[in-house]
Amino acid sequence: MLLKNQRAVAAGGGDVDDAGSVLPLGAGVHRVWVPTRHVGAQPGFMRGGEPARDVDPFDAAACPWARADDPRQADAAVVFIESPLSNPYSTADRDAGGNGYLPLTLQYRPYTAAAARPRSLAAGDFRETGDRAYRGKTNRAANETDLDAVIAAREVLGERPVIVVVRMHNPAVLAELEPTPTPSWWTSVCNNRPCGSCWRAFSSPAGCCRSRCRSPWRPWRHTARTCPSTMPPTPTPSATPTPSVSV
């Protein structure tokens, strides 16, 4: 799904609204830079510890261009990231006398639940005392460096194209990515080959769907989250909305 298709503008080079689009990538693109991701240590699906790791998302079979080792020699960049990964329970907080529960952050930078309920609606397990409130607590995404990679790619590439591919595990607050003028893709598939064909030919599949990204946390917390039309979307810099294309 294409979230945004916006070209970068040099300082003093004009209005962002007149920047134009990046996709499809033209014939002048031959080498792309794909940075390696870093994911911090976090609990696994069965709550076992997963060590910090580096992930190379480049797939030579899925990418129609050669890979550049140096971003200064690349014609474009493709930055693969994931939606924020966070652990909503802390044994350290529990051992320190707290209830152990932390806010589930949907943003990349540290998030403090200043507007959460003072008392949780969930009573918790019968072995627990109190409730699961986490108001005032702070949580951090294990993949905060994903946002750093996008910002770094935009700075290094300058006006050259930078494509951001966001693999969504859950809805995310993408307001932190909005100031970066780059085409953004929302994907929930494991195979990147459909993305590569769309970047090159920008072919649109027959099926299209509508989706809304979440705005910053505070206004979102005051909406009826069980009703699909009450969430204010993240405002885009462009005056012309970009159509959502299912991939």
Side-chain angles (χ1 to χ4, degrees):
M1 181 181 299
L2 179 64
L3 297 181
K4 185 173 66 172
N5 186 14
Q6 180 182 318
R7 182 175 298 279
V9 178
D15 194 336
V16 173
D17 292 342
D18 299 327
S21 59
V22 174
L23 299 175
L25 294 178
V29 175
H30 304 285
R31 295 166 60 84
V32 297
W33 179 58
V34 181
T36 301
R37 298 180 58 237
H38 177 78
V39 181
Q42 61 177 338
F45 181 75
M46 300 301 292
R47 305 300 298 173
E50 291 185 356
R53 64 191 187 278
D54 292 329
V55 181
D56 186 0
F58 181 75
D59 184 355
C63 185
W65 304 283
R67 186 178 193 177
D69 296 328
D70 188 344
R72 294 171 295 182
Q73 300 176 354
D75 302 310
V78 180
V79 184
F80 291 91
I81 65 176
E82 291 182 85
S83 55
L85 306 172
S86 65
N87 173 30
Y89 190 84
S90 170
T91 54
D93 178 80
R94 182 195 61 194
D95 295 341
N99 59 11
Y101 291 95
L102 301 177
L104 182 66
T105 178
L106 299 181
Q107 67 183 37
Y108 293 97
R109 297 306 185 203
Y111 166 66
T112 300
R117 294 185 178 94
R119 182 175 179 81
S120 174
L121 296 179
D125 190 90
F126 69 93
R127 294 166 292 184
E128 295 176 335
T129 58
D131 59 41
R132 299 182 177 184
Y134 47 74
R135 186 172 187 173
K137 293 184 179 181
T138 300
N139 202 353
R140 292 170 172 80
N143 58 330
E144 181 182 354
T145 53
D146 280 353
L147 179 60
D148 296 332
V150 175
I151 297 174
R154 181 70 282 164
E155 293 177 352
V156 173
L157 270 292
E159 296 185 48
R160 287 169 288 174
V162 175
I163 302 173
V164 179
V165 182
V166 187
R167 183 181 176 188
M168 289 286 191
H169 301 285
N170 50 16
V173 175
L174 298 180
E176 296 162 313
L177 290 176
E178 282 301 317
T180 306
T182 57
S184 301
W185 285 79
W186 172 344
T187 176
S188 59
V189 299
C190 298
N191 193 333
N192 293 323
R193 295 186 182 184
C195 296
S197 62
C198 288
W199 302 331
R200 192 170 191 174
F202 203 43
S203 57
S204 299
C208 296
C209 62
R210 294 174 57 86
S211 181
R212 308 181 74 182
C213 289
R214 303 182 189 278
S215 65
W217 270 101
R218 182 169 292 275
W220 177 74
R221 278 200 173 276
H222 294 283
T223 60
R225 278 164 271 173
T226 55
C227 302
S229 299
T230 61
M231 293 187 297
T234 301
T236 58
S238 176
T240 303
T242 301
S244 298
V245 181
S246 172
V247 296

